[in-house]
Short mmCIF file of all heavy atoms in Angstrom, two decimals:
data_model
loop_
_atom_site.label_atom_id
_atom_site.label_comp_id
_atom_site.label_asym_id
_atom_site.label_seq_id
_atom_site.Cartn_x
_atom_site.Cartn_y
_atom_site.Cartn_z
N GLY A 108 3.51 -1.29 7.89
CA GLY A 108 3.94 -0.29 8.86
C GLY A 108 5.09 -0.83 9.71
O GLY A 108 5.07 -1.99 10.12
N PHE A 109 6.10 0.00 9.95
CA PHE A 109 7.20 -0.35 10.83
C PHE A 109 7.31 0.72 11.90
O PHE A 109 7.10 1.91 11.63
CB PHE A 109 8.52 -0.44 10.06
CG PHE A 109 8.49 -1.45 8.95
CD1 PHE A 109 8.39 -1.04 7.63
CD2 PHE A 109 8.56 -2.79 9.23
CE1 PHE A 109 8.35 -1.96 6.60
CE2 PHE A 109 8.52 -3.73 8.21
CZ PHE A 109 8.42 -3.32 6.89
N LEU A 110 7.62 0.31 13.10
CA LEU A 110 7.72 1.27 14.19
C LEU A 110 9.07 1.97 14.19
O LEU A 110 10.12 1.33 14.13
CB LEU A 110 7.50 0.57 15.53
CG LEU A 110 6.07 0.16 15.86
CD1 LEU A 110 6.04 -0.56 17.20
CD2 LEU A 110 5.13 1.36 15.87
N LYS A 111 9.02 3.29 14.26
CA LYS A 111 10.21 4.11 14.51
C LYS A 111 10.01 4.71 15.89
O LYS A 111 9.30 5.70 16.05
CB LYS A 111 10.34 5.20 13.45
CG LYS A 111 10.83 4.69 12.11
CD LYS A 111 11.17 5.83 11.17
CE LYS A 111 11.81 5.32 9.88
NZ LYS A 111 12.15 6.43 8.97
N GLY A 112 10.60 4.06 16.87
CA GLY A 112 10.27 4.41 18.25
C GLY A 112 8.89 3.84 18.53
O GLY A 112 8.67 2.64 18.46
N ASN A 113 7.93 4.72 18.79
CA ASN A 113 6.55 4.28 19.01
C ASN A 113 5.62 4.73 17.89
O ASN A 113 4.41 4.49 17.96
CB ASN A 113 6.03 4.84 20.35
CG ASN A 113 6.73 4.22 21.53
OD1 ASN A 113 6.96 3.01 21.56
ND2 ASN A 113 7.09 5.03 22.52
N LYS A 114 6.18 5.36 16.86
CA LYS A 114 5.36 5.88 15.77
C LYS A 114 5.47 4.99 14.54
O LYS A 114 6.57 4.64 14.11
CB LYS A 114 5.81 7.31 15.41
CG LYS A 114 4.95 7.97 14.34
CD LYS A 114 5.41 9.39 14.06
CE LYS A 114 4.56 10.04 12.99
NZ LYS A 114 5.01 11.42 12.70
N PRO A 115 4.33 4.61 13.94
CA PRO A 115 4.39 3.76 12.74
C PRO A 115 4.85 4.55 11.52
O PRO A 115 4.54 5.73 11.37
CB PRO A 115 2.95 3.28 12.57
CG PRO A 115 2.11 4.31 13.25
CD PRO A 115 2.94 4.84 14.39
N ASP A 116 5.61 3.87 10.68
CA ASP A 116 6.11 4.45 9.43
C ASP A 116 5.65 3.56 8.28
O ASP A 116 5.80 2.35 8.34
CB ASP A 116 7.64 4.52 9.48
CG ASP A 116 8.23 5.14 8.24
OD1 ASP A 116 8.21 4.47 7.18
OD2 ASP A 116 8.72 6.28 8.30
N PHE A 117 5.09 4.17 7.23
CA PHE A 117 4.51 3.39 6.13
C PHE A 117 5.20 3.67 4.80
O PHE A 117 4.60 3.48 3.74
CB PHE A 117 3.02 3.71 6.01
CG PHE A 117 2.24 3.53 7.28
CD1 PHE A 117 1.76 4.64 7.96
CD2 PHE A 117 2.00 2.28 7.81
CE1 PHE A 117 1.05 4.49 9.15
CE2 PHE A 117 1.29 2.11 8.98
CZ PHE A 117 0.81 3.22 9.66
N HIS A 118 6.46 4.08 4.82
CA HIS A 118 7.10 4.55 3.59
C HIS A 118 7.32 3.45 2.57
O HIS A 118 7.49 3.73 1.38
CB HIS A 118 8.42 5.25 3.91
CG HIS A 118 9.54 4.33 4.26
ND1 HIS A 118 9.72 3.82 5.53
CD2 HIS A 118 10.54 3.81 3.50
CE1 HIS A 118 10.78 3.03 5.53
NE2 HIS A 118 11.29 3.00 4.32
N VAL A 119 7.33 2.18 2.99
CA VAL A 119 7.54 1.10 2.01
C VAL A 119 6.23 0.65 1.35
O VAL A 119 6.25 -0.13 0.39
CB VAL A 119 8.25 -0.11 2.63
CG1 VAL A 119 9.61 0.27 3.18
CG2 VAL A 119 7.40 -0.77 3.70
N ALA A 120 5.10 1.12 1.87
CA ALA A 120 3.83 0.77 1.25
C ALA A 120 3.68 1.51 -0.08
O ALA A 120 4.21 2.61 -0.27
CB ALA A 120 2.67 1.14 2.17
N MET A 121 2.97 0.89 -1.01
CA MET A 121 2.74 1.52 -2.30
C MET A 121 1.93 2.81 -2.12
O MET A 121 0.91 2.81 -1.44
CB MET A 121 1.98 0.56 -3.23
CG MET A 121 1.87 1.03 -4.67
SD MET A 121 1.03 -0.19 -5.74
CE MET A 121 2.27 -1.50 -5.82
N PRO A 122 2.37 3.95 -2.71
CA PRO A 122 1.64 5.21 -2.55
C PRO A 122 0.24 5.14 -3.16
O PRO A 122 0.01 4.40 -4.12
CB PRO A 122 2.52 6.23 -3.28
CG PRO A 122 3.38 5.42 -4.19
CD PRO A 122 3.59 4.10 -3.53
N PRO A 123 -0.72 5.88 -2.61
CA PRO A 123 -2.13 5.77 -3.00
C PRO A 123 -2.38 5.92 -4.50
O PRO A 123 -3.18 5.17 -5.08
CB PRO A 123 -2.80 6.90 -2.22
CG PRO A 123 -1.92 7.11 -1.05
CD PRO A 123 -0.53 6.85 -1.51
N GLN A 124 -1.73 6.88 -5.15
CA GLN A 124 -2.00 7.12 -6.57
C GLN A 124 -1.59 5.94 -7.45
O GLN A 124 -2.15 5.71 -8.52
CB GLN A 124 -1.30 8.40 -7.06
CG GLN A 124 0.22 8.39 -6.99
CD GLN A 124 0.78 8.80 -5.65
OE1 GLN A 124 0.07 8.80 -4.64
NE2 GLN A 124 2.06 9.17 -5.62
N LYS A 125 -0.63 5.18 -6.99
CA LYS A 125 -0.19 3.98 -7.70
C LYS A 125 -0.95 2.75 -7.20
O LYS A 125 -1.25 1.83 -7.98
CB LYS A 125 1.31 3.79 -7.48
CG LYS A 125 1.91 2.57 -8.15
CD LYS A 125 3.41 2.47 -7.82
CE LYS A 125 4.02 1.18 -8.36
NZ LYS A 125 5.45 1.06 -7.98
N ALA A 126 -1.27 2.73 -5.91
CA ALA A 126 -1.89 1.56 -5.29
C ALA A 126 -3.34 1.35 -5.74
O ALA A 126 -3.78 0.21 -5.90
CB ALA A 126 -1.84 1.69 -3.77
N LYS A 127 -4.08 2.43 -5.96
CA LYS A 127 -5.50 2.27 -6.31
C LYS A 127 -5.70 1.49 -7.60
O LYS A 127 -6.44 0.49 -7.61
CB LYS A 127 -6.18 3.64 -6.39
CG LYS A 127 -7.69 3.52 -6.63
CD LYS A 127 -8.37 4.87 -6.57
CE LYS A 127 -9.87 4.71 -6.77
NZ LYS A 127 -10.59 6.02 -6.70
N PRO A 128 -5.08 1.88 -8.74
CA PRO A 128 -5.26 1.08 -9.95
C PRO A 128 -4.68 -0.33 -9.83
O PRO A 128 -5.22 -1.28 -10.40
CB PRO A 128 -4.53 1.89 -11.03
CG PRO A 128 -3.60 2.78 -10.30
CD PRO A 128 -4.26 3.08 -9.00
N PHE A 129 -3.60 -0.47 -9.07
CA PHE A 129 -3.00 -1.79 -8.88
C PHE A 129 -3.95 -2.70 -8.10
O PHE A 129 -4.14 -3.87 -8.45
CB PHE A 129 -1.66 -1.67 -8.16
CG PHE A 129 -0.84 -2.93 -8.18
CD1 PHE A 129 0.12 -3.14 -9.16
CD2 PHE A 129 -1.03 -3.92 -7.23
CE1 PHE A 129 0.87 -4.30 -9.20
CE2 PHE A 129 -0.28 -5.09 -7.26
CZ PHE A 129 0.68 -5.28 -8.24
N TYR A 130 -4.55 -2.15 -7.06
CA TYR A 130 -5.50 -2.92 -6.25
C TYR A 130 -6.73 -3.30 -7.08
O TYR A 130 -7.24 -4.42 -6.98
CB TYR A 130 -5.90 -2.11 -5.02
CG TYR A 130 -6.96 -2.76 -4.16
CD1 TYR A 130 -6.68 -3.91 -3.43
CD2 TYR A 130 -8.25 -2.25 -4.11
CE1 TYR A 130 -7.65 -4.51 -2.65
CE2 TYR A 130 -9.23 -2.85 -3.34
CZ TYR A 130 -8.92 -3.98 -2.61
OH TYR A 130 -9.89 -4.58 -1.84
N GLU A 131 -7.19 -2.38 -7.92
CA GLU A 131 -8.34 -2.69 -8.78
C GLU A 131 -8.02 -3.80 -9.76
O GLU A 131 -8.87 -4.64 -10.07
CB GLU A 131 -8.78 -1.42 -9.51
CG GLU A 131 -9.42 -0.39 -8.59
CD GLU A 131 -9.72 0.93 -9.28
OE1 GLU A 131 -9.24 1.12 -10.43
OE2 GLU A 131 -10.40 1.78 -8.69
N SER A 132 -6.78 -3.83 -10.25
CA SER A 132 -6.38 -4.92 -11.15
C SER A 132 -6.31 -6.24 -10.40
O SER A 132 -6.60 -7.31 -10.96
CB SER A 132 -5.03 -4.61 -11.81
OG SER A 132 -3.96 -4.69 -10.88
N LEU A 133 -5.96 -6.20 -9.11
CA LEU A 133 -5.95 -7.41 -8.29
C LEU A 133 -7.37 -7.94 -8.12
O LEU A 133 -7.62 -9.15 -8.22
CB LEU A 133 -5.33 -7.11 -6.92
CG LEU A 133 -5.33 -8.26 -5.91
CD1 LEU A 133 -4.43 -9.39 -6.39
CD2 LEU A 133 -4.89 -7.76 -4.53
N LEU A 134 -8.32 -7.05 -7.90
CA LEU A 134 -9.73 -7.45 -7.79
C LEU A 134 -10.19 -8.12 -9.08
O LEU A 134 -10.90 -9.14 -9.04
CB LEU A 134 -10.60 -6.23 -7.50
CG LEU A 134 -10.53 -5.63 -6.09
CD1 LEU A 134 -11.31 -4.32 -6.05
CD2 LEU A 134 -11.08 -6.60 -5.06
N ASP A 135 -9.78 -7.57 -10.21
CA ASP A 135 -10.16 -8.15 -11.51
C ASP A 135 -9.61 -9.57 -11.65
O ASP A 135 -10.28 -10.46 -12.19
CB ASP A 135 -9.66 -7.28 -12.65
CG ASP A 135 -10.46 -5.99 -12.79
OD1 ASP A 135 -11.60 -5.95 -12.30
OD2 ASP A 135 -9.93 -5.03 -13.38
N LYS A 136 -8.39 -9.78 -11.16
CA LYS A 136 -7.80 -11.11 -11.23
C LYS A 136 -8.64 -12.11 -10.43
O LYS A 136 -8.89 -13.24 -10.87
CB LYS A 136 -6.36 -11.09 -10.69
CG LYS A 136 -5.35 -10.37 -11.57
CD LYS A 136 -3.97 -10.41 -10.96
CE LYS A 136 -2.98 -9.58 -11.75
NZ LYS A 136 -2.75 -10.11 -13.10
N PHE A 137 -9.07 -11.70 -9.25
CA PHE A 137 -9.89 -12.58 -8.43
C PHE A 137 -11.23 -12.89 -9.11
O PHE A 137 -11.69 -14.03 -9.11
CB PHE A 137 -10.14 -11.94 -7.06
CG PHE A 137 -9.09 -12.25 -6.03
CD1 PHE A 137 -7.96 -11.47 -5.91
CD2 PHE A 137 -9.24 -13.33 -5.17
CE1 PHE A 137 -6.99 -11.76 -4.96
CE2 PHE A 137 -8.28 -13.63 -4.21
CZ PHE A 137 -7.15 -12.84 -4.11
#
């Protein structure tokens, strides 16, 4: 999250539909 004024912006974070399988693959690696 980056602040734009006083409001956080999360546009550089991986979007949920892509992040969920990626995160699950990270868990598998661990």
Side-chain angles (χ1 to χ4, degrees):
F109 301 104
L110 286 178
K111 285 189 174 181
N113 292 318
K114 184 178 180 181
D116 181 287
F117 307 109
H118 75 277
V119 300
M121 188 177 290
Q124 63 274 17
K125 179 182 175 183
K127 185 174 182 179
F129 192 94
Y130 176 69
E131 290 174 350
S132 71
L133 177 66
L134 287 172
D135 287 339
K136 290 180 186 295
F137 272 88

